[in-house]
Amino acid sequence: MGHPWTLSDVTGGLIWECWLRSQPEDWVVMFGIFTHDGAFLGAQDVVATGFRDLRTVSTASWLRRDAQGRGLGTEMRAAALVWVFDHLGAEVATTSAWDWNAPSLGVSRKLGYRPNGEARRSPRPGVVERELRFRLPRESFRRPEWELRVEGHDAAAAFLGTA
Ligand SMILES: CC(C)(COP(=O)(O)OP(=O)(O)OC[C@H]1O[C@@H](n2cnc3c(N)ncnc32)[C@H](O)[C@@H]1OP(=O)(O)O)[C@@H](O)C(=O)NCCC(=O)NCCS
């Protein structure tokens, strides 16, 4: 009988992999999204390769099903973008989504991303999906009306090689 994997094994493994892969210049930062009471709602990832020269990040996100469709996906991506553009000095953000993923495409459209091509991808054997790609230069970002409060930035920036 194989190992009885649990969700926490899988997510824990993913988090370890992100930590192990991260180093100055090439990194994955995973933000957790929580209610004021501390309940976990989802995650907003920011990924960069060769950041010092390219000043480019990509993002990915997911929310618990009962937290979707209430505007939180837009808010959390906007928060990540304010951090990367205003605090880390990023110049471009990219993202992608399957062509059927209306909520993800909606978030990108609302925040000002522009289409940047597409690709055929195979997420699992026998399945072909159309991936739509998007690009957001800093000056095109449709900023939120609220202000982002950032804590612990200096230590993070030093580790990420952006200080
Ligand atoms: C993708 C995801 C993070 C978006 O977050 P969300 O909170 O659900 O999205 P929002 O409520 O901020 O909606 C953003 C826009 O998308 C559109 N939208 C949302 N749900 C939609 C739906 N079911 N159908 C069509 N459009 C939809 C809306 O137009 C909305 O814009 P509006 O405020 O002008 O109406 C979230 O839905 C999710 O976690 N999905 C599952 C995981 C996933 O697909 N991750 C992305 C991988 S690329």
Side-chain angles (χ1 to χ4, degrees), residues 61-64 67-76 95-98 100-107 109-110:
S61 48
W62 62 269
L63 280 167
R64 240 169 51 184
Q68 295 175 12
R70 294 171 9 203
L72 289 176
T74 306
E75 301 279 286
M76 63 204 227
T95 193
S96 62
W98 303 133
W100 47 259
N101 195 336
S104 180
L105 298 171
V107 171
R109 173 179 42 75
K110 286 176 74 173

Side-chain angles (χ1 to χ4, degrees), residues 6 12 28 33 48 55-56 58-59 67 71 87 91 99 108 113-114 119 124 131 138 154 161:
T6 65
V28 181
I33 315 301
R55 298 277 151 187
T56 300
S58 63
T59 62
H87 295 264
E91 288 166 12
D99 62 353
S108 298
Y113 288 77
R114 294 166 190 166
R124 54 191 179 279
E131 180 191 74
R138 177 168 45 198
D154 290 347

